[in-house]
Amino acid sequence: CSGFREDSIIITYNMPRGHQLSYHDNPGNRHGGKHAVAYLPNNKEGQKLLKRLKFSFKHGLSFTVGASMTTGLEGQCTWTSVHHKTSPSGGVRSHGYPDPDYFRNCNSELDGLSVPPAPLLDDNGNVK
């Protein structure tokens, strides 16, 4: 990631098309799939955030079904309020690095969703 000396952790999300579940706005209705890639620097701070992002994903906090901000289509798999860096460079405007506030902001978003702190999670994002 730009601005870091370490190599990058690359997170790949692959959600196939399917049917909305009971906690979605329109249970039983179809939704579009999503493929997304996100980046973290492979350092201590990035590894701790990765544990929390794994927990967030496993508990349905990273994506939801709604209108795509890119295409405007309804019933699409979209990001929730947990921000991800989808570019390893280009700065804040490109959803990339460098962004001196990213770790603080993302951890604050995860705190607001009651995601446990990294020391309470194993490497797979499960509570120890």
mmCIF file of all heavy atoms in Angstrom, residues 5-58:
data_model
loop_
_atom_site.group_PDB
_atom_site.id
_atom_site.type_symbol
_atom_site.label_atom_id
_atom_site.label_comp_id
_atom_site.label_asym_id
_atom_site.label_seq_id
_atom_site.Cartn_x
_atom_site.Cartn_y
_atom_site.Cartn_z
ATOM 1 N N ARG A 5 5.917 0.794 4.049
ATOM 2 C CA ARG A 5 7.062 0.026 3.569
ATOM 3 C C ARG A 5 6.731 -1.456 3.412
ATOM 4 O O ARG A 5 7.378 -2.166 2.666
ATOM 5 C CB ARG A 5 8.234 0.186 4.535
ATOM 6 C CG ARG A 5 8.964 1.500 4.321
ATOM 7 C CD ARG A 5 10.104 1.623 5.267
ATOM 8 N NE ARG A 5 9.593 2.451 6.362
ATOM 9 C CZ ARG A 5 10.054 2.461 7.577
ATOM 10 N NH1 ARG A 5 11.055 1.707 7.911
ATOM 11 N NH2 ARG A 5 9.525 3.227 8.489
ATOM 12 N N GLU A 6 5.731 -1.918 4.137
ATOM 13 C CA GLU A 6 5.369 -3.333 4.109
ATOM 14 C C GLU A 6 4.613 -3.676 2.825
ATOM 15 O O GLU A 6 4.102 -2.810 2.140
ATOM 16 C CB GLU A 6 4.462 -3.670 5.305
ATOM 17 C CG GLU A 6 5.065 -3.377 6.652
ATOM 18 C CD GLU A 6 4.932 -1.895 7.060
ATOM 19 O OE1 GLU A 6 4.211 -1.135 6.414
ATOM 20 O OE2 GLU A 6 5.594 -1.519 8.033
ATOM 21 N N ASP A 7 4.544 -4.978 2.543
ATOM 22 C CA ASP A 7 3.715 -5.422 1.434
ATOM 23 C C ASP A 7 2.244 -5.304 1.844
ATOM 24 O O ASP A 7 1.943 -4.846 2.941
ATOM 25 C CB ASP A 7 4.079 -6.846 1.001
ATOM 26 C CG ASP A 7 4.004 -7.862 2.136
ATOM 27 O OD1 ASP A 7 3.976 -7.465 3.313
ATOM 28 O OD2 ASP A 7 3.964 -9.070 1.832
ATOM 29 N N SER A 8 1.357 -5.708 0.985
ATOM 30 C CA SER A 8 -0.078 -5.520 1.226
ATOM 31 C C SER A 8 -0.789 -6.828 1.544
ATOM 32 O O SER A 8 -0.434 -7.885 1.038
ATOM 33 C CB SER A 8 -0.753 -4.916 -0.011
ATOM 34 O OG SER A 8 -0.234 -3.641 -0.272
ATOM 35 N N ILE A 9 -1.819 -6.714 2.375
ATOM 36 C CA ILE A 9 -2.776 -7.791 2.582
ATOM 37 C C ILE A 9 -3.891 -7.516 1.581
ATOM 38 O O ILE A 9 -4.413 -6.397 1.515
ATOM 39 C CB ILE A 9 -3.348 -7.766 4.012
ATOM 40 C CG1 ILE A 9 -2.246 -8.012 5.045
ATOM 41 C CG2 ILE A 9 -4.482 -8.787 4.144
ATOM 42 C CD1 ILE A 9 -2.667 -7.738 6.478
ATOM 43 N N ILE A 10 -4.230 -8.500 0.787
ATOM 44 C CA ILE A 10 -5.301 -8.337 -0.196
ATOM 45 C C ILE A 10 -6.492 -9.167 0.256
ATOM 46 O O ILE A 10 -6.376 -10.379 0.473
ATOM 47 C CB ILE A 10 -4.835 -8.771 -1.604
ATOM 48 C CG1 ILE A 10 -3.628 -7.929 -2.024
ATOM 49 C CG2 ILE A 10 -5.979 -8.643 -2.606
ATOM 50 C CD1 ILE A 10 -2.943 -8.412 -3.291
ATOM 51 N N ILE A 11 -7.627 -8.498 0.447
ATOM 52 C CA ILE A 11 -8.862 -9.150 0.878
ATOM 53 C C ILE A 11 -9.763 -9.276 -0.346
ATOM 54 O O ILE A 11 -10.049 -8.273 -1.002
ATOM 55 C CB ILE A 11 -9.589 -8.313 1.949
ATOM 56 C CG1 ILE A 11 -8.662 -7.997 3.122
ATOM 57 C CG2 ILE A 11 -10.858 -9.023 2.416
ATOM 58 C CD1 ILE A 11 -9.196 -6.916 4.037
ATOM 59 N N THR A 12 -10.204 -10.476 -0.640
ATOM 60 C CA THR A 12 -11.103 -10.698 -1.769
ATOM 61 C C THR A 12 -12.460 -11.147 -1.249
ATOM 62 O O THR A 12 -12.550 -12.139 -0.525
ATOM 63 C CB THR A 12 -10.526 -11.767 -2.724
ATOM 64 O OG1 THR A 12 -9.236 -11.333 -3.159
ATOM 65 C CG2 THR A 12 -11.432 -11.964 -3.928
ATOM 66 N N TYR A 13 -13.489 -10.388 -1.588
ATOM 67 C CA TYR A 13 -14.862 -10.734 -1.237
ATOM 68 C C TYR A 13 -15.557 -11.218 -2.507
ATOM 69 O O TYR A 13 -15.478 -10.565 -3.543
ATOM 70 C CB TYR A 13 -15.621 -9.516 -0.716
ATOM 71 C CG TYR A 13 -15.113 -8.952 0.590
ATOM 72 C CD1 TYR A 13 -14.365 -7.785 0.621
ATOM 73 C CD2 TYR A 13 -15.420 -9.576 1.797
ATOM 74 C CE1 TYR A 13 -13.932 -7.249 1.823
ATOM 75 C CE2 TYR A 13 -14.986 -9.043 2.999
ATOM 76 C CZ TYR A 13 -14.247 -7.883 3.008
ATOM 77 O OH TYR A 13 -13.820 -7.348 4.205
ATOM 78 N N ASN A 14 -16.220 -12.346 -2.420
ATOM 79 C CA ASN A 14 -16.938 -12.907 -3.562
ATOM 80 C C ASN A 14 -18.306 -13.383 -3.073
ATOM 81 O O ASN A 14 -18.397 -14.433 -2.444
ATOM 82 C CB ASN A 14 -16.147 -14.082 -4.144
ATOM 83 C CG ASN A 14 -16.025 -13.988 -5.630
ATOM 84 O OD1 ASN A 14 -16.742 -13.240 -6.271
ATOM 85 N ND2 ASN A 14 -15.110 -14.763 -6.173
ATOM 86 N N MET A 15 -19.344 -12.610 -3.312
ATOM 87 C CA MET A 15 -20.692 -12.998 -2.908
ATOM 88 C C MET A 15 -21.495 -13.325 -4.155
ATOM 89 O O MET A 15 -21.689 -12.468 -5.017
ATOM 90 C CB MET A 15 -21.391 -11.859 -2.148
ATOM 91 C CG MET A 15 -20.968 -11.712 -0.704
ATOM 92 S SD MET A 15 -19.369 -10.960 -0.423
ATOM 93 C CE MET A 15 -19.474 -9.424 -1.238
ATOM 94 N N PRO A 16 -21.952 -14.564 -4.264
ATOM 95 C CA PRO A 16 -22.751 -14.939 -5.441
ATOM 96 C C PRO A 16 -24.164 -14.360 -5.365
ATOM 97 O O PRO A 16 -24.633 -13.973 -4.290
ATOM 98 C CB PRO A 16 -22.786 -16.461 -5.376
ATOM 99 C CG PRO A 16 -22.590 -16.781 -3.934
ATOM 100 C CD PRO A 16 -21.727 -15.676 -3.359
ATOM 101 N N ARG A 17 -24.825 -14.320 -6.523
ATOM 102 C CA ARG A 17 -26.245 -13.943 -6.532
ATOM 103 C C ARG A 17 -26.997 -14.919 -5.658
ATOM 104 O O ARG A 17 -26.570 -16.049 -5.452
ATOM 105 C CB ARG A 17 -26.801 -13.995 -7.945
ATOM 106 C CG ARG A 17 -26.202 -12.985 -8.883
ATOM 107 C CD ARG A 17 -26.845 -13.091 -10.231
ATOM 108 N NE ARG A 17 -26.868 -14.499 -10.672
ATOM 109 C CZ ARG A 17 -26.664 -14.907 -11.889
ATOM 110 N NH1 ARG A 17 -26.434 -14.053 -12.832
ATOM 111 N NH2 ARG A 17 -26.703 -16.175 -12.199
ATOM 112 N N GLY A 18 -28.129 -14.491 -5.161
ATOM 113 C CA GLY A 18 -28.916 -15.386 -4.318
ATOM 114 C C GLY A 18 -30.233 -14.755 -3.936
ATOM 115 O O GLY A 18 -30.723 -13.845 -4.616
ATOM 116 N N HIS A 19 -30.786 -15.224 -2.835
ATOM 117 C CA HIS A 19 -32.051 -14.714 -2.322
ATOM 118 C C HIS A 19 -31.802 -13.996 -1.003
ATOM 119 O O HIS A 19 -30.998 -14.444 -0.187
ATOM 120 C CB HIS A 19 -33.054 -15.848 -2.119
ATOM 121 C CG HIS A 19 -33.534 -16.418 -3.406
ATOM 122 N ND1 HIS A 19 -32.892 -17.450 -4.054
ATOM 123 C CD2 HIS A 19 -34.589 -16.078 -4.183
ATOM 124 C CE1 HIS A 19 -33.531 -17.730 -5.180
ATOM 125 N NE2 HIS A 19 -34.572 -16.913 -5.275
ATOM 126 N N GLN A 20 -32.521 -12.896 -0.803
ATOM 127 C CA GLN A 20 -32.395 -12.141 0.432
ATOM 128 C C GLN A 20 -32.866 -13.000 1.608
ATOM 129 O O GLN A 20 -33.815 -13.762 1.500
ATOM 130 C CB GLN A 20 -33.208 -10.850 0.354
ATOM 131 C CG GLN A 20 -32.686 -9.896 -0.705
ATOM 132 C CD GLN A 20 -33.421 -8.588 -0.719
ATOM 133 O OE1 GLN A 20 -33.709 -8.022 0.327
ATOM 134 N NE2 GLN A 20 -33.731 -8.091 -1.914
ATOM 135 N N LEU A 21 -32.185 -12.832 2.718
ATOM 136 C CA LEU A 21 -32.497 -13.590 3.926
ATOM 137 C C LEU A 21 -33.489 -12.833 4.795
ATOM 138 O O LEU A 21 -33.876 -11.704 4.478
ATOM 139 C CB LEU A 21 -31.204 -13.889 4.687
ATOM 140 C CG LEU A 21 -30.163 -14.682 3.890
ATOM 141 C CD1 LEU A 21 -28.878 -14.837 4.683
ATOM 142 C CD2 LEU A 21 -30.717 -16.052 3.501
ATOM 143 N N SER A 22 -33.885 -13.432 5.887
ATOM 144 C CA SER A 22 -34.929 -12.861 6.748
ATOM 145 C C SER A 22 -34.591 -11.477 7.276
ATOM 146 O O SER A 22 -35.485 -10.668 7.509
ATOM 147 C CB SER A 22 -35.218 -13.805 7.920
ATOM 148 O OG SER A 22 -34.050 -13.981 8.698
ATOM 149 N N TYR A 23 -33.317 -11.158 7.444
ATOM 150 C CA TYR A 23 -32.936 -9.854 7.982
ATOM 151 C C TYR A 23 -32.763 -8.777 6.903
ATOM 152 O O TYR A 23 -32.457 -7.635 7.222
ATOM 153 C CB TYR A 23 -31.680 -9.962 8.847
ATOM 154 C CG TYR A 23 -30.486 -10.613 8.171
ATOM 155 C CD1 TYR A 23 -29.644 -9.912 7.332
ATOM 156 C CD2 TYR A 23 -30.217 -11.962 8.401
ATOM 157 C CE1 TYR A 23 -28.563 -10.511 6.734
ATOM 158 C CE2 TYR A 23 -29.128 -12.573 7.812
ATOM 159 C CZ TYR A 23 -28.298 -11.839 6.982
ATOM 160 O OH TYR A 23 -27.218 -12.440 6.388
ATOM 161 N N HIS A 24 -32.949 -9.110 5.633
ATOM 162 C CA HIS A 24 -32.882 -8.123 4.557
ATOM 163 C C HIS A 24 -34.244 -7.447 4.373
ATOM 164 O O HIS A 24 -35.255 -7.892 4.920
ATOM 165 C CB HIS A 24 -32.442 -8.782 3.244
ATOM 166 C CG HIS A 24 -31.019 -9.228 3.265
ATOM 167 N ND1 HIS A 24 -30.659 -10.532 3.016
ATOM 168 C CD2 HIS A 24 -29.874 -8.560 3.509
ATOM 169 C CE1 HIS A 24 -29.352 -10.646 3.100
ATOM 170 N NE2 HIS A 24 -28.848 -9.460 3.399
ATOM 171 N N ASP A 25 -34.248 -6.389 3.578
ATOM 172 C CA ASP A 25 -35.478 -5.614 3.355
ATOM 173 C C ASP A 25 -36.586 -6.403 2.668
ATOM 174 O O ASP A 25 -37.761 -6.194 2.941
ATOM 175 C CB ASP A 25 -35.179 -4.360 2.529
ATOM 176 C CG ASP A 25 -34.380 -3.334 3.304
ATOM 177 O OD1 ASP A 25 -34.342 -3.418 4.548
ATOM 178 O OD2 ASP A 25 -33.788 -2.446 2.669
ATOM 179 N N ASN A 26 -36.214 -7.293 1.764
ATOM 180 C CA ASN A 26 -37.210 -8.042 0.987
ATOM 181 C C ASN A 26 -36.889 -9.529 0.995
ATOM 182 O O ASN A 26 -36.437 -10.084 -0.013
ATOM 183 C CB ASN A 26 -37.245 -7.509 -0.458
ATOM 184 C CG ASN A 26 -37.618 -6.051 -0.507
ATOM 185 O OD1 ASN A 26 -38.727 -5.686 -0.153
ATOM 186 N ND2 ASN A 26 -36.683 -5.210 -0.924
ATOM 187 N N PRO A 27 -37.120 -10.201 2.142
ATOM 188 C CA PRO A 27 -36.779 -11.629 2.244
ATOM 189 C C PRO A 27 -37.365 -12.445 1.095
ATOM 190 O O PRO A 27 -38.513 -12.248 0.706
ATOM 191 C CB PRO A 27 -37.398 -12.045 3.581
ATOM 192 C CG PRO A 27 -37.530 -10.780 4.358
ATOM 193 C CD PRO A 27 -37.774 -9.698 3.339
ATOM 194 N N GLY A 28 -36.530 -13.329 0.563
ATOM 195 C CA GLY A 28 -36.965 -14.204 -0.523
ATOM 196 C C GLY A 28 -36.719 -13.620 -1.903
ATOM 197 O O GLY A 28 -36.612 -14.364 -2.876
ATOM 198 N N ASN A 29 -36.626 -12.293 -2.028
ATOM 199 C CA ASN A 29 -36.343 -11.675 -3.331
ATOM 200 C C ASN A 29 -34.887 -11.919 -3.716
ATOM 201 O O ASN A 29 -34.013 -12.029 -2.863
ATOM 202 C CB ASN A 29 -36.612 -10.169 -3.297
ATOM 203 C CG ASN A 29 -38.081 -9.838 -3.278
ATOM 204 O OD1 ASN A 29 -38.929 -10.713 -3.241
ATOM 205 N ND2 ASN A 29 -38.379 -8.554 -3.301
ATOM 206 N N ARG A 30 -34.645 -11.947 -5.016
ATOM 207 C CA ARG A 30 -33.287 -12.161 -5.516
ATOM 208 C C ARG A 30 -32.424 -10.924 -5.287
ATOM 209 O O ARG A 30 -32.926 -9.815 -5.210
ATOM 210 C CB ARG A 30 -33.328 -12.507 -7.004
ATOM 211 C CG ARG A 30 -33.989 -13.870 -7.241
ATOM 212 C CD ARG A 30 -33.740 -14.449 -8.610
ATOM 213 N NE ARG A 30 -32.363 -14.593 -9.011
ATOM 214 C CZ ARG A 30 -31.494 -15.524 -8.558
ATOM 215 N NH1 ARG A 30 -31.872 -16.363 -7.626
ATOM 216 N NH2 ARG A 30 -30.270 -15.593 -9.014
ATOM 217 N N HIS A 31 -31.124 -11.153 -5.170
ATOM 218 C CA HIS A 31 -30.163 -10.046 -5.107
ATOM 219 C C HIS A 31 -28.985 -10.361 -6.012
ATOM 220 O O HIS A 31 -28.686 -11.532 -6.278
ATOM 221 C CB HIS A 31 -29.687 -9.776 -3.667
ATOM 222 C CG HIS A 31 -28.850 -10.871 -3.069
ATOM 223 N ND1 HIS A 31 -27.528 -11.073 -3.392
ATOM 224 C CD2 HIS A 31 -29.157 -11.829 -2.167
ATOM 225 C CE1 HIS A 31 -27.049 -12.096 -2.705
ATOM 226 N NE2 HIS A 31 -28.028 -12.580 -1.956
ATOM 227 N N GLY A 32 -28.360 -9.307 -6.486
ATOM 228 C CA GLY A 32 -27.174 -9.453 -7.323
ATOM 229 C C GLY A 32 -25.960 -9.838 -6.489
ATOM 230 O O GLY A 32 -25.949 -9.658 -5.271
ATOM 231 N N GLY A 33 -24.948 -10.360 -7.123
ATOM 232 C CA GLY A 33 -23.708 -10.723 -6.448
ATOM 233 C C GLY A 33 -22.732 -9.560 -6.423
ATOM 234 O O GLY A 33 -23.016 -8.474 -6.941
ATOM 235 N N LYS A 34 -21.603 -9.777 -5.814
ATOM 236 C CA LYS A 34 -20.578 -8.734 -5.754
ATOM 237 C C LYS A 34 -19.204 -9.384 -5.631
ATOM 238 O O LYS A 34 -19.022 -10.347 -4.887
ATOM 239 C CB LYS A 34 -20.810 -7.808 -4.576
ATOM 240 C CG LYS A 34 -19.820 -6.646 -4.524
ATOM 241 C CD LYS A 34 -20.215 -5.657 -3.450
ATOM 242 C CE LYS A 34 -19.402 -4.394 -3.522
ATOM 243 N NZ LYS A 34 -19.779 -3.518 -4.619
ATOM 244 N N HIS A 35 -18.270 -8.838 -6.363
ATOM 245 C CA HIS A 35 -16.857 -9.185 -6.229
ATOM 246 C C HIS A 35 -16.143 -7.888 -5.855
ATOM 247 O O HIS A 35 -16.300 -6.877 -6.535
ATOM 248 C CB HIS A 35 -16.295 -9.750 -7.534
ATOM 249 C CG HIS A 35 -14.819 -9.980 -7.471
ATOM 250 N ND1 HIS A 35 -14.270 -11.099 -6.880
ATOM 251 C CD2 HIS A 35 -13.781 -9.212 -7.873
ATOM 252 C CE1 HIS A 35 -12.956 -11.006 -6.943
ATOM 253 N NE2 HIS A 35 -12.640 -9.883 -7.543
ATOM 254 N N ALA A 36 -15.416 -7.903 -4.758
ATOM 255 C CA ALA A 36 -14.714 -6.701 -4.326
ATOM 256 C C ALA A 36 -13.352 -7.083 -3.770
ATOM 257 O O ALA A 36 -13.179 -8.167 -3.204
ATOM 258 C CB ALA A 36 -15.531 -5.973 -3.265
ATOM 259 N N VAL A 37 -12.397 -6.192 -3.930
ATOM 260 C CA VAL A 37 -11.046 -6.381 -3.411
ATOM 261 C C VAL A 37 -10.715 -5.179 -2.534
ATOM 262 O O VAL A 37 -11.019 -4.042 -2.893
ATOM 263 C CB VAL A 37 -10.019 -6.509 -4.559
ATOM 264 C CG1 VAL A 37 -8.608 -6.645 -4.019
ATOM 265 C CG2 VAL A 37 -10.365 -7.707 -5.442
ATOM 266 N N ALA A 38 -10.107 -5.451 -1.388
ATOM 267 C CA ALA A 38 -9.700 -4.389 -0.476
ATOM 268 C C ALA A 38 -8.251 -4.626 -0.053
ATOM 269 O O ALA A 38 -7.740 -5.753 -0.160
ATOM 270 C CB ALA A 38 -10.623 -4.355 0.738
ATOM 271 N N TYR A 39 -7.616 -3.574 0.430
ATOM 272 C CA TYR A 39 -6.193 -3.626 0.751
ATOM 273 C C TYR A 39 -5.911 -3.087 2.144
ATOM 274 O O TYR A 39 -6.519 -2.115 2.585
ATOM 275 C CB TYR A 39 -5.397 -2.787 -0.257
ATOM 276 C CG TYR A 39 -5.576 -3.246 -1.676
ATOM 277 C CD1 TYR A 39 -6.620 -2.760 -2.453
ATOM 278 C CD2 TYR A 39 -4.714 -4.185 -2.233
ATOM 279 C CE1 TYR A 39 -6.799 -3.198 -3.759
ATOM 280 C CE2 TYR A 39 -4.888 -4.626 -3.529
ATOM 281 C CZ TYR A 39 -5.931 -4.126 -4.293
ATOM 282 O OH TYR A 39 -6.106 -4.564 -5.578
ATOM 283 N N LEU A 40 -4.960 -3.746 2.802
ATOM 284 C CA LEU A 40 -4.423 -3.282 4.073
ATOM 285 C C LEU A 40 -2.906 -3.423 4.013
ATOM 286 O O LEU A 40 -2.405 -4.362 3.380
ATOM 287 C CB LEU A 40 -4.918 -4.154 5.238
ATOM 288 C CG LEU A 40 -6.397 -4.140 5.571
ATOM 289 C CD1 LEU A 40 -6.721 -5.256 6.559
ATOM 290 C CD2 LEU A 40 -6.786 -2.791 6.141
ATOM 291 N N PRO A 41 -2.173 -2.542 4.684
ATOM 292 C CA PRO A 41 -0.731 -2.776 4.765
ATOM 293 C C PRO A 41 -0.472 -3.983 5.662
ATOM 294 O O PRO A 41 -1.191 -4.195 6.646
ATOM 295 C CB PRO A 41 -0.188 -1.490 5.394
ATOM 296 C CG PRO A 41 -1.350 -0.849 6.058
ATOM 297 C CD PRO A 41 -2.570 -1.304 5.325
ATOM 298 N N ASN A 42 0.502 -4.796 5.307
ATOM 299 C CA ASN A 42 0.807 -5.999 6.079
ATOM 300 C C ASN A 42 1.750 -5.638 7.227
ATOM 301 O O ASN A 42 2.921 -5.998 7.244
ATOM 302 C CB ASN A 42 1.413 -7.073 5.187
ATOM 303 C CG ASN A 42 1.469 -8.413 5.896
ATOM 304 O OD1 ASN A 42 0.929 -8.580 6.970
ATOM 305 N ND2 ASN A 42 2.133 -9.376 5.270
ATOM 306 N N ASN A 43 1.203 -4.890 8.183
ATOM 307 C CA ASN A 43 1.935 -4.534 9.387
ATOM 308 C C ASN A 43 1.044 -4.861 10.583
ATOM 309 O O ASN A 43 -0.054 -5.402 10.420
ATOM 310 C CB ASN A 43 2.358 -3.058 9.363
ATOM 311 C CG ASN A 43 1.185 -2.105 9.258
ATOM 312 O OD1 ASN A 43 0.034 -2.447 9.541
ATOM 313 N ND2 ASN A 43 1.465 -0.874 8.834
ATOM 314 N N LYS A 44 1.518 -4.556 11.780
ATOM 315 C CA LYS A 44 0.775 -4.912 12.988
ATOM 316 C C LYS A 44 -0.627 -4.305 12.995
ATOM 317 O O LYS A 44 -1.610 -4.981 13.309
ATOM 318 C CB LYS A 44 1.565 -4.454 14.220
ATOM 319 C CG LYS A 44 1.074 -5.003 15.511
ATOM 320 C CD LYS A 44 2.030 -4.651 16.636
ATOM 321 C CE LYS A 44 1.699 -5.474 17.859
ATOM 322 N NZ LYS A 44 2.716 -5.322 18.897
ATOM 323 N N GLU A 45 -0.727 -3.046 12.623
ATOM 324 C CA GLU A 45 -2.025 -2.365 12.602
ATOM 325 C C GLU A 45 -2.959 -2.981 11.558
ATOM 326 O O GLU A 45 -4.146 -3.193 11.804
ATOM 327 C CB GLU A 45 -1.814 -0.869 12.327
ATOM 328 C CG GLU A 45 -2.925 -0.009 12.783
ATOM 329 C CD GLU A 45 -2.567 1.471 12.748
ATOM 330 O OE1 GLU A 45 -1.539 1.855 12.144
ATOM 331 O OE2 GLU A 45 -3.347 2.253 13.299
ATOM 332 N N GLY A 46 -2.422 -3.303 10.373
ATOM 333 C CA GLY A 46 -3.217 -3.930 9.320
ATOM 334 C C GLY A 46 -3.685 -5.318 9.711
ATOM 335 O O GLY A 46 -4.825 -5.710 9.444
ATOM 336 N N GLN A 47 -2.821 -6.087 10.371
ATOM 337 C CA GLN A 47 -3.184 -7.444 10.785
ATOM 338 C C GLN A 47 -4.265 -7.418 11.872
ATOM 339 O O GLN A 47 -5.165 -8.260 11.876
ATOM 340 C CB GLN A 47 -1.946 -8.192 11.261
ATOM 341 C CG GLN A 47 -0.986 -8.475 10.128
ATOM 342 C CD GLN A 47 0.404 -8.868 10.585
ATOM 343 O OE1 GLN A 47 0.655 -9.085 11.764
ATOM 344 N NE2 GLN A 47 1.333 -8.943 9.640
ATOM 345 N N LYS A 48 -4.198 -6.439 12.774
ATOM 346 C CA LYS A 48 -5.242 -6.317 13.802
ATOM 347 C C LYS A 48 -6.575 -5.926 13.165
ATOM 348 O O LYS A 48 -7.619 -6.484 13.503
ATOM 349 C CB LYS A 48 -4.824 -5.287 14.859
ATOM 350 C CG LYS A 48 -3.720 -5.806 15.743
ATOM 351 C CD LYS A 48 -3.215 -4.914 16.855
ATOM 352 C CE LYS A 48 -3.708 -3.546 17.006
ATOM 353 N NZ LYS A 48 -3.040 -2.784 18.079
ATOM 354 N N LEU A 49 -6.540 -4.987 12.217
ATOM 355 C CA LEU A 49 -7.769 -4.579 11.546
ATOM 356 C C LEU A 49 -8.349 -5.733 10.728
ATOM 357 O O LEU A 49 -9.570 -5.917 10.679
ATOM 358 C CB LEU A 49 -7.529 -3.353 10.662
ATOM 359 C CG LEU A 49 -8.757 -2.781 9.970
ATOM 360 C CD1 LEU A 49 -9.866 -2.442 10.971
ATOM 361 C CD2 LEU A 49 -8.368 -1.541 9.172
ATOM 362 N N LEU A 50 -7.500 -6.542 10.123
ATOM 363 C CA LEU A 50 -7.969 -7.691 9.344
ATOM 364 C C LEU A 50 -8.810 -8.640 10.204
ATOM 365 O O LEU A 50 -9.859 -9.120 9.764
ATOM 366 C CB LEU A 50 -6.782 -8.447 8.737
ATOM 367 C CG LEU A 50 -7.120 -9.696 7.927
ATOM 368 C CD1 LEU A 50 -7.990 -9.345 6.719
ATOM 369 C CD2 LEU A 50 -5.843 -10.394 7.490
ATOM 370 N N LYS A 51 -8.395 -8.901 11.433
ATOM 371 C CA LYS A 51 -9.182 -9.761 12.328
ATOM 372 C C LYS A 51 -10.580 -9.185 12.531
ATOM 373 O O LYS A 51 -11.572 -9.908 12.508
ATOM 374 C CB LYS A 51 -8.488 -9.888 13.690
ATOM 375 C CG LYS A 51 -7.211 -10.681 13.673
ATOM 376 C CD LYS A 51 -6.620 -10.719 15.067
ATOM 377 C CE LYS A 51 -5.315 -11.466 15.107
ATOM 378 N NZ LYS A 51 -4.803 -11.594 16.492
ATOM 379 N N ARG A 52 -10.643 -7.870 12.724
ATOM 380 C CA ARG A 52 -11.940 -7.227 12.970
ATOM 381 C C ARG A 52 -12.800 -7.227 11.712
ATOM 382 O O ARG A 52 -14.014 -7.408 11.779
ATOM 383 C CB ARG A 52 -11.724 -5.799 13.482
ATOM 384 C CG ARG A 52 -10.985 -5.775 14.819
ATOM 385 C CD ARG A 52 -10.963 -4.410 15.434
ATOM 386 N NE ARG A 52 -12.248 -4.201 16.113
ATOM 387 C CZ ARG A 52 -12.727 -3.022 16.426
ATOM 388 N NH1 ARG A 52 -12.075 -1.914 16.121
ATOM 389 N NH2 ARG A 52 -13.899 -2.929 17.041
ATOM 390 N N LEU A 53 -12.180 -7.040 10.550
ATOM 391 C CA LEU A 53 -12.934 -7.079 9.294
ATOM 392 C C LEU A 53 -13.464 -8.485 9.022
ATOM 393 O O LEU A 53 -14.575 -8.642 8.505
ATOM 394 C CB LEU A 53 -12.073 -6.587 8.130
ATOM 395 C CG LEU A 53 -11.733 -5.092 8.138
ATOM 396 C CD1 LEU A 53 -10.747 -4.766 7.033
ATOM 397 C CD2 LEU A 53 -12.986 -4.240 8.027
ATOM 398 N N LYS A 54 -12.699 -9.498 9.377
ATOM 399 C CA LYS A 54 -13.178 -10.882 9.225
ATOM 400 C C LYS A 54 -14.397 -11.114 10.107
ATOM 401 O O LYS A 54 -15.392 -11.700 9.661
ATOM 402 C CB LYS A 54 -12.070 -11.881 9.570
ATOM 403 C CG LYS A 54 -11.000 -12.002 8.510
ATOM 404 C CD LYS A 54 -9.945 -13.014 8.928
ATOM 405 C CE LYS A 54 -8.869 -13.170 7.884
ATOM 406 N NZ LYS A 54 -7.859 -14.189 8.279
ATOM 407 N N PHE A 55 -14.342 -10.659 11.366
ATOM 408 C CA PHE A 55 -15.489 -10.791 12.257
ATOM 409 C C PHE A 55 -16.690 -10.068 11.662
ATOM 410 O O PHE A 55 -17.799 -10.606 11.628
ATOM 411 C CB PHE A 55 -15.155 -10.218 13.645
ATOM 412 C CG PHE A 55 -16.285 -10.328 14.628
ATOM 413 C CD1 PHE A 55 -16.342 -11.385 15.516
ATOM 414 C CD2 PHE A 55 -17.294 -9.369 14.676
ATOM 415 C CE1 PHE A 55 -17.385 -11.500 16.426
ATOM 416 C CE2 PHE A 55 -18.338 -9.465 15.575
ATOM 417 C CZ PHE A 55 -18.387 -10.542 16.456
ATOM 418 N N SER A 56 -16.475 -8.854 11.188
ATOM 419 C CA SER A 56 -17.546 -8.047 10.599
ATOM 420 C C SER A 56 -18.197 -8.778 9.434
ATOM 421 O O SER A 56 -19.425 -8.848 9.336
ATOM 422 C CB SER A 56 -16.976 -6.703 10.135
ATOM 423 O OG SER A 56 -17.924 -5.960 9.424
ATOM 424 N N PHE A 57 -17.398 -9.350 8.552
ATOM 425 C CA PHE A 57 -17.929 -10.069 7.394
ATOM 426 C C PHE A 57 -18.726 -11.301 7.838
ATOM 427 O O PHE A 57 -19.844 -11.530 7.373
ATOM 428 C CB PHE A 57 -16.798 -10.474 6.452
ATOM 429 C CG PHE A 57 -17.284 -11.234 5.261
ATOM 430 C CD1 PHE A 57 -17.900 -10.577 4.214
ATOM 431 C CD2 PHE A 57 -17.151 -12.612 5.189
ATOM 432 C CE1 PHE A 57 -18.377 -11.279 3.103
ATOM 433 C CE2 PHE A 57 -17.616 -13.319 4.092
ATOM 434 C CZ PHE A 57 -18.234 -12.650 3.050
ATOM 435 N N LYS A 58 -18.154 -12.086 8.744
ATOM 436 C CA LYS A 58 -18.815 -13.317 9.193
ATOM 437 C C LYS A 58 -20.146 -13.055 9.883
ATOM 438 O O LYS A 58 -21.003 -13.929 9.936
ATOM 439 C CB LYS A 58 -17.900 -14.081 10.152
ATOM 440 C CG LYS A 58 -16.721 -14.719 9.478
ATOM 441 C CD LYS A 58 -15.877 -15.454 10.496
ATOM 442 C CE LYS A 58 -14.747 -16.187 9.802
ATOM 443 N NZ LYS A 58 -14.044 -17.063 10.741
#
